[in-house]
Amino acid sequence: MIDKPDEKAGIGTLIGRLVKDGKGYARAEICYAKALAGERMRAAKSGIVFLVAGLVLLHGALIALFVGLVLSLATWVGPFWSMLIVVAVASIIGGVLAKIGLAHFQRAKTGPDLPSVEVVEP
């Protein structure tokens, strides 16, 4: 890539070398960016695998909790009513959380609330 400097090289030769060196630099930067992106993707993939495994285990624990609540309440109000109570309470809490989440998405979609500014033309 490095040529011997030629003191008699014209402007065309110098511009040609500059373009050649620029292309080499751009290719090197692109290769570096690809390598960096690949490394980050490998790290993200393993993170996603562990995240999904953890969420599956947490989901199973939540199901066990609900079954335990139904069985515990069944001794006082019977199996049908205990199931109905647990489902109703879980549905209400889930609905409220979903509504809050949707409100956050709507706010993110529309952007921040900015005070209106009155434009006065001279």
Side-chain angles (χ1 to χ4, degrees):
M1 211 22 95
I2 299 175
D3 295 332
K4 244 183 182 181
D6 188 6
E7 293 180 18
K8 295 182 181 179
I11 190 77
T13 306
L14 293 175
I15 290 176
R17 285 183 192 164
L18 178 65
V19 169
K20 184 176 155 187
D21 289 345
K23 285 181 182 179
Y25 178 75
R27 285 189 188 108
E29 283 294 321
I30 290 171
C31 287
Y32 172 72
K34 284 181 181 179
L36 187 62
E39 183 61 33
R40 288 184 179 170
M41 284 302 293
R42 280 187 289 280
K45 282 181 189 177
S46 64
I48 289 172
V49 167
F50 283 109
L51 179 65
V52 168
L55 289 174
V56 167
L57 289 174
L58 286 173
H59 186 255
L62 191 61
I63 290 172
L65 174 70
F66 287 145
V67 169
L69 286 172
V70 168
L71 292 175
S72 296
L73 282 174
T75 59
W76 290 320
V77 294
F80 175 75
W81 289 107
S82 65
M83 179 269 311
L84 194 63
I85 291 168
V86 170
V87 167
V89 170
S91 297
I92 290 169
I93 293 171
V96 169
L97 291 174
K99 189 171 183 175
I100 291 170
L102 285 174
H104 282 270
F105 278 121
Q106 289 296 329
R107 194 171 353 150
K109 190 170 86 171
T110 59
D113 295 331
L114 298 175
S116 59
V117 178
E118 185 176 326
V119 177
V120 178
E121 294 188 30

